[in-house]
């Protein structure tokens, strides 16, 4: 169910997507509300699940994860047991930053971040191929990120 958001709610969300640590007083100033009214609206957005959580956005390269890749995975059979086993195994792998179930010619798309090409080779050839049900793996290394927007597009 989609939340009913007015123009002020959207302004609050835009500001918080830019800086989730923004003090409520400064946020209130930016959206032309009193601090109390702003706090009430933020709490309502949190309680309704529109604001799911607050987090720091980290730079993988600054933390030694120099190589990023998108990995397309097909599994042998799309049985419930196979898919659950694969998904469980992927969730336990720290190299996998994100995993998406896809339509079309691939079953899963993984975003992987590792220290270097050697680490990626080991992950691909020793770990990924051995995960439950994996039939085919195809990888594309990220050369450069042209656009990275961790936010959600707002109306």
């Amino acid at each position: 169910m989609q939340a009913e958001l007015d123009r002020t709610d959207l302004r609050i969300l835009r500001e918080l997507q830019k800086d989730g640590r923004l003090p409520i007083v400064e946020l209130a100033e930016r959206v032309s509300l009193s601090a109390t009214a702003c706090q009430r609206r933020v709490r309502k957005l949190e309680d309704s699940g529109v604001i799911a959580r607050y987090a720091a956005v980290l730079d993988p390269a600054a933390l030694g994860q120099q190589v990023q890749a998108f990995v397309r995975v097909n599994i042998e059979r799309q049985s419930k047991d196979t898919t659950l086993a694969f998904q469980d195994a992927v969730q336990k792998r720290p190299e996998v930053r994100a995993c998406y179930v896809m339509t079309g010619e691939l079953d899963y798309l993984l975003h992987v971040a590792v220290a270097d090409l050697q680490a990626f080779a080991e992950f691909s050839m020793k770990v990924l191929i051995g995960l439950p049900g994996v039939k085919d793996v195809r990888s594309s290394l990220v050369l450069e990120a042209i656009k990275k927007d961790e936010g959600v597009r707002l109306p």
Side-chain angles (χ1 to χ4, degrees):
M1 184 169 111
Q2 187 173 341
E4 293 289 326
L5 303 174
D6 64 16
R7 187 173 278 181
T8 303
D9 291 330
L10 293 173
R11 288 170 50 204
I12 289 170
L13 293 172
R14 280 189 187 91
E15 292 299 327
L16 287 175
Q17 281 194 126
K18 290 181 213 168
D19 182 359
R21 293 183 64 186
L22 202 58
I24 201 71
V25 173
E26 189 173 339
L27 176 61
E29 285 178 20
R30 291 186 186 186
V31 299
S32 303
L33 287 176
S34 71
T36 304
C38 186
Q39 178 65 49
R40 202 172 17 251
R41 281 180 177 257
V42 169
R43 192 168 294 126
K44 181 180 171 191
L45 292 166
E46 292 167 346
D47 292 345
S48 70
V50 171
I51 297 175
R53 64 186 176 97
Y54 295 92
V57 179
L58 308 179
D59 180 358
L63 295 168
Q65 299 170 16
Q66 301 293 328
V67 173
Q68 293 189 65
F70 287 92
V71 182
R72 297 168 301 284
V73 177
N74 283 312
I75 58 175
E76 292 173 358
R77 303 176 247 112
Q78 298 237 351
S79 71
K80 184 176 181 180
D81 291 341
T82 303
T83 57
L84 289 176
F86 174 80
Q87 291 173 11
D88 183 55
V90 164
Q91 291 206 16
K92 293 176 181 173
R93 297 305 313 184
E95 303 91 343
V96 178
R97 303 288 303 132
C99 176
Y100 304 96
V101 177
M102 304 297 289
T103 63
E105 296 181 10
L106 65 139
D107 297 323
Y108 295 93
L109 180 65
L110 279 57
H111 178 200
V112 174
V114 293
D116 53 31
L117 285 176
Q118 180 64 36
F120 182 73
E122 287 181 28
F123 173 73
S124 294
M125 296 187 293
K126 294 181 181 171
V127 175
L128 196 52
I129 293 295
L131 293 183
V134 171
K135 176 174 81 173
D136 183 48
V137 174
R138 297 181 188 260
S139 303
S140 297
L141 295 177
V142 174
L143 298 177
E144 179 182 7
I146 303 301
K147 179 179 179 181
K148 291 183 351 183
D149 186 356
E150 287 85 10
V152 173
R153 185 178 60 84
L154 297 169

